[in-house]
Amino acid sequence: MDCLKPHGLKTDLYELTMAQVYLERGKTERAVFSLYVRKLPEVRNFLVAGGVKRVLDLIGEFRFSKDQLRYLKSLNLFKDWFLDWLEQFEFRGNIYAIPDGRIVFNEEPILQVEADLPSAQILETFVMNAVHLETLLNSKAARIYSVAGGKILVDFGCRRAHGFEAANAAAKAALTCGWNATSNLEAGMLYNLPVSGTMAHSYVMVFGEEEAFREFYRHYPQNAVYLIDTYDVLEAAKLVVGLSKEGYKPLGVRIDSGDIPKLVVEVRRLLDAEGLKDVKIIVSGGVDEYKIAEWRGLPIDGFGVGTRYVTSADKPYLDIAYKLVEYAGEPKFKLSEGKKTYPFKKQVFRFYSNGRMDYDFVTLYGEEAEGEPLVELVLKEGRPVKDLGDWKVARERFLSDFERLPEGLKGLEKVPYEVQIDARLEPENYLPKPRGE
Amino acid sequence: MDCLKPHGLKTDLYELTMAQVYLERGKTERAVFSLYVRKLPEVRNFLVAGGVKRVLDLIGEFRFSKDQLRYLKSLNLFKDWFLDWLEQFEFRGNIYAIPDGRIVFNEEPILQVEADLPSAQILETFVMNAVHLETLLNSKAARIYSVAGGKILVDFGCRRAHGFEAANAAAKAALTCGWNATSNLEAGMLYNLPVSGTMAHSYVMVFGEEEAFREFYRHYPQNAVYLIDTYDVLEAAKLVVGLSKEGYKPLGVRIDSGDIPKLVVEVRRLLDAEGLKDVKIIVSGGVDEYKIAEWRGLPIDGFGVGTRYVTSADKPYLDIAYKLVEYAGEPKFKLSEGKKTYPFKKQVFRFYSNGRMDYDFVTLYGEEAEGEPLVELVLKEGRPVKDLGDWKVARERFLSDFERLPEGLKGLEKVPYEVQIDARLEPENYLPKPRGE
């Protein structure tokens, strides 16, 4: 909520101090920066690209207002000609990207920025933050979806996401990656997402269970899910049976605490015995993909998934980088161990075998190959080349990729996927030859 | 960035469906909800309250616009009279809180909302999100501060925070909890925080080290910190020595990768031998309190701390709850194991011994005790009672509390702190007596 518009100050100080030096020293030739994940976390077999559409939607507002320029001037670091340059700034470069919803792996450039060096540099923090957040959340949402095996998944995480911006991103990521709904109303309105919800313990405590359920049904007969763990789950389940006979039959019941494996079996048996086979059992409270896997085979129809999803709790960040790979036509790279970078603007080709992804091949952009190219030019000279579509389109991309994902990568065990790097990208090729040779 | 104003939709659907039933059924008496952390994480010995000022600043905008009401109407769940109620809504209740920057523990109500039940209910998601985020970040920032033992700490996390709202919150939390600066410009402007920065590898790669350093110094003689790990750290350190003799002496050097313990010792020796004892060594890259503790005793003057701080990576969420504790004068509580709640509006008294915190005592609000009361009435009938001040005031509160924190709690090992609960708050007191007694 505490965010400024336009977005130019969504950056680190050093982006601007460096840009001033670049400009003053004429380092304004074409640069390419590549935004990618160096290494997949141990607890992810694949990632799902995200944040590209958001970058495209917001990049026109990556500018600097008079107030913001006045603030920058007050830092006593910037010269007037540079502040003028910032005042005139709008991004007029190119962006190459792998669209939201596509499954990606390490070393694959989700976003590549091509522009004069200062322009490409000052975008760094902004595009990293946007792509990191949505790729992180998409990847976690997809992992949960993958393990849930078709069960209902609803995002309950709004209250413990890292701010409402993150909460909204999480709701969108959930729906992008196959989930059914979110409880977050602002995200529902912003992105046109399906919303759903049940009731809280406070509500049950105020009315008492019987009246709470009855009243809820009276108001929301199409959407009633009764929360049955405020006092005694089995007693509440019996109450649900009684109410159902009176005509207050809910869509489902929710259990938010207790010994879940034991409770769901008993509640299911109780409901089934009374002909309530279609009353669903929803479980929430500390749910994540590990719990879902542990509870596989139990009579659970769906999950409310909150905190551990929206914070990507088992791995709350990705090893994402924004690296200079080309300047003035020359390859740029780092050789440091574990942080080696490959030079040049890149394309990724995906190869399939029997309808499943077989391996990916990272090569120079502009090369031809048999496989499916993943990288597209999405912004040309500051203008969108095509509409990437909303979350529904991203969801189609995700579901289509997910279908073709090797079965082994869909589980919780670590399974590698082959990403080949074109030998011509090896930085060693571009080292100056030792003297005397 | 994707956030709507006003803030009424920053809520879960069920808050509104429940509120509609409350209103229709006349459940509009005075309710008290308590927002607190049930249990401290294993990896936190204390928490630092946050988000209270933000709630107070924004609560006046917790309303519903025409557009938002139209959206709600489209869900086909709400009656016109309820949408009218939302349209008129502004929060007119009371808020009791422990101000930002104060050290707090489990079961201590950071925020208590007292209002008619529907009003207090619909705030749930909003206040939880705001208090959770800032308390999480304050607590992590304080833990890092605690271990850093006076070394320079700069927030570098903007790019990998969960959105810019979280990035800005992290910058503010860092400064609240004793850090020195942030690299985040938007936060710098929004909250008037000190900003600082160095240079990136891309910059060094474009110029080459010598020119990169020289140019940076020429532009920013007061603020030059040279990044010396792009190629060979020791070679770069020798270059720094040479440049310093020419008059390009930096404030410091930054090392972002490699074998830190070995490198900093060698660089320090090299600089000292040339009379550059006052050139500081700053380390960044994967830094958190565990690394800082591991590197204790090494010649490191300061740290750039990013990802692992801003995502609170070792524990990216708190077990925070917003629980109904009183309705219409009656105690409300849950007995479930591990989720037991204590009824009634509360005060916390802190007791000191020899200038250090000794224990806290949680009792009924309005009780008198010898200790220092932590809970204050901050909003009365919708109006602020006092100005809680900005981050500088919160920082004073934090530093003053930190000084009085028992030494054992300042380390990384788990050390408990005693929080006594008044026996009169035990929910067992308020159970209906079994029949026949």
Side-chain angles (χ1 to χ4, degrees), chain A residues 2 12 17 25 183 211 220, chain B residues 12 17 25 183 191 211 220:
Chain A
D2 293 3
D12 289 298
T17 50
R25 299 284 294 133
S183 64
E211 200 184 346
Y220 315 107
Chain B
D12 289 298
T17 50
R25 299 285 294 131
S183 64
Y191 306 122
E211 201 184 346
Y220 315 106

Side-chain angles (χ1 to χ4, degrees), chain A residues 1-4 7 9-18 20-22 24-25 27 33 38 54 58 67-68 71-72 75 77 79 117 121 124-126 128-129 132-133 136 158-168 183-186 188-191 195-203 205-207 211 215-216 218-220 223 254 256 307-308 310-311 313 316-318 320 323-324 327 332-334 339, chain B residues 1-4 7 9-18 20-22 24-25 27 33 38 54 58 67-68 71-72 75 77 79 117 121 124-126 128-129 132-133 136 158-168 183-186 188-191 195-203 205-207 211 215-216 218-220 223 254 256 307-308 310-311 313 316-318 320 323-324 327 332-334 339:
Chain A
M1 296 175 272
D2 293 3
C3 284
L4 294 175
H7 300 303
L9 287 192
K10 291 189 171 69
T11 193
D12 289 298
L13 174 61
Y14 78 173
E15 312 290 5
L16 300 190
T17 50
M18 292 189 291
Q20 179 168 259
V21 181
Y22 291 151
E24 208 258 350
R25 299 284 294 133
K27 295 286 187 190
F33 283 82
R38 275 186 278 239
R54 190 150 175 248
L58 296 177
D67 274 0
Q68 291 169 343
Y71 167 71
L72 290 175
L75 299 178
L77 291 167
K79 296 178 180 148
L117 177 61
Q121 182 77 63
E124 174 173 24
T125 312
F126 177 72
M128 281 187 80
N129 186 296
H132 177 260
L133 176 62
L136 178 76
C158 189
R159 60 192 58 192
R160 289 203 200 82
H162 291 186
F164 277 96
E165 184 188 346
N168 292 343
S183 64
N184 176 345
L185 280 178
E186 185 166 283
M189 178 169 171
L190 265 171
Y191 306 122
V195 292
S196 81
T198 64
M199 59 181 62
H201 295 111
S202 54
Y203 170 86
M205 284 154 72
V206 165
F207 281 107
E211 200 184 346
E215 285 300 330
F216 209 83
R218 234 167 46 73
H219 283 81
Y220 315 107
N223 304 279
R254 175 162 77 99
D256 188 54
T307 308
R308 293 176 195 204
V310 296
T311 61
Y317 58 87
L318 297 172
I320 206 166
K323 289 294 165 191
L324 179 67
Y327 179 65
K332 292 289 166 187
F333 50 86
K334 270 172 69 188
K339 289 194 170 182
Chain B
M1 295 175 273
D2 293 3
C3 284
L4 295 175
H7 300 304
L9 288 191
K10 292 189 171 69
T11 193
D12 289 298
L13 174 61
Y14 78 173
E15 313 290 5
L16 300 190
T17 50
M18 292 189 292
Q20 179 168 257
V21 181
Y22 290 151
E24 209 258 349
R25 299 285 294 131
K27 295 286 188 190
F33 282 82
R38 274 186 278 239
R54 190 149 174 248
L58 296 177
D67 275 1
Q68 291 170 342
Y71 167 70
L72 290 176
L75 299 177
L77 291 167
K79 296 178 180 148
L117 177 61
Q121 182 77 64
E124 174 173 24
T125 312
F126 177 74
M128 280 186 80
N129 187 296
H132 177 261
L133 176 62
L136 178 76
C158 189
R159 59 192 58 192
R160 290 203 199 82
H162 291 186
F164 277 95
E165 184 188 346
N168 293 343
S183 64
N184 176 345
L185 280 178
E186 184 166 284
M189 178 169 170
L190 266 171
Y191 306 122
V195 292
S196 82
T198 64
M199 59 181 62
H201 295 110
S202 55
Y203 171 86
M205 284 153 71
V206 165
F207 281 108
E211 201 184 346
E215 285 300 331
F216 209 84
R218 233 167 47 74
H219 283 81
Y220 315 106
N223 304 279
R254 174 162 77 99
D256 188 53
T307 308
R308 292 175 196 206
V310 296
T311 61
Y317 59 87
L318 297 172
I320 206 167
K323 289 294 165 191
L324 179 67
Y327 178 65
K332 293 288 167 188
F333 50 85
K334 271 173 68 188
K339 289 194 170 182

Side-chain angles (χ1 to χ4, degrees), chain A residues 9 16 63-75 78 82-88, chain B residues 189:
Chain A
L9 287 192
L16 300 190
R63 288 176 291 101
F64 299 84
S65 70
K66 295 263 185 220
D67 274 0
Q68 291 169 343
L69 292 165
R70 214 168 296 128
Y71 167 71
L72 290 175
K73 194 174 167 65
S74 77
L75 299 178
F78 302 111
F82 179 67
L83 296 171
D84 289 344
W85 184 83
L86 290 178
E87 186 168 9
Q88 300 301 319
Chain B
M189 178 169 170

Side-chain angles (χ1 to χ4, degrees), chain B residues 7 78 90 149 153 179 202 243 288 312 317 333 344 392:
Chain B
H7 300 304
F78 302 111
E90 52 179 295
L153 291 170
W179 294 33
S202 55
L243 286 171
D288 60 14
S312 190
Y317 59 87
F333 50 85
F344 295 121
K392 288 183 191 173

Side-chain angles (χ1 to χ4, degrees), chain A residues 104-303:
Chain A
V104 293
F105 299 93
N106 52 300
E107 297 291 350
E108 301 184 349
I110 298 173
L111 199 89
Q112 295 174 90
V113 175
E114 178 177 58
D116 63 282
L117 177 61
S119 295
Q121 182 77 63
I122 67 174
L123 285 188
E124 174 173 24
T125 312
F126 177 72
V127 298
M128 281 187 80
N129 186 296
V131 170
H132 177 260
L133 176 62
E134 294 199 15
T135 301
L136 178 76
L137 291 168
N138 276 350
S139 304
K140 179 74 172 175
R143 182 170 158 96
I144 294 171
Y145 171 79
S146 181
V147 170
K151 293 188 175 184
I152 298 164
L153 290 170
V154 180
D155 161 39
F156 278 4
C158 189
R159 60 192 58 192
R160 289 203 200 82
H162 291 186
F164 277 96
E165 184 188 346
N168 292 343
K172 189 175 68 169
L175 271 294
T176 297
C177 295
W179 294 32
N180 300 78
T182 178
S183 64
N184 176 345
L185 280 178
E186 185 166 283
M189 178 169 171
L190 265 171
Y191 306 122
N192 192 24
L193 307 175
V195 292
S196 81
T198 64
M199 59 181 62
H201 295 111
S202 54
Y203 170 86
V204 175
M205 284 154 72
V206 165
F207 281 107
E209 279 175 333
E210 180 166 349
E211 200 184 346
F213 298 167
R214 209 187 284 273
E215 285 300 330
F216 209 83
Y217 187 91
R218 234 167 46 73
H219 283 81
Y220 315 107
Q222 314 301 324
N223 304 279
V225 174
Y226 301 158
L227 177 64
I228 61 170
D229 73 332
T230 308
Y231 306 107
D232 181 304
V233 170
L234 295 181
E235 287 305 312
K238 286 176 198 160
L239 178 64
V240 171
V241 168
L243 286 171
S244 298
K245 288 180 179 165
E246 286 180 44
Y248 298 95
K249 185 176 140 186
L251 269 187
V253 295
R254 175 162 77 99
I255 306 175
D256 188 54
S257 61
D259 181 354
I260 295 297
K262 187 162 161 283
L263 289 172
V264 296
V265 166
E266 292 179 358
V267 169
R268 184 75 272 161
R269 192 180 303 141
L270 212 150
L271 294 173
D272 287 357
E274 301 285 344
L276 298 173
K277 285 186 193 295
D278 55 341
V279 171
K280 295 191 187 336
I281 297 179
I282 307 295
V283 169
S284 59
V287 175
D288 59 15
E289 66 270 38
Y290 305 100
K291 284 284 174 203
I292 292 174
E294 188 186 320
W295 294 336
R296 200 173 282 156
L298 288 172
I300 299 174
D301 299 288
F303 298 97

Side-chain angles (χ1 to χ4, degrees), chain B residues 2 26 64 71 131 153 243 251 269-270 279 283 326 336 366 394 434:
Chain B
D2 293 3
F64 299 84
Y71 167 70
V131 170
L153 291 170
L243 286 171
L251 269 188
R269 192 179 304 140
L270 212 149
V279 171
V283 169
E326 192 176 331
S336 6

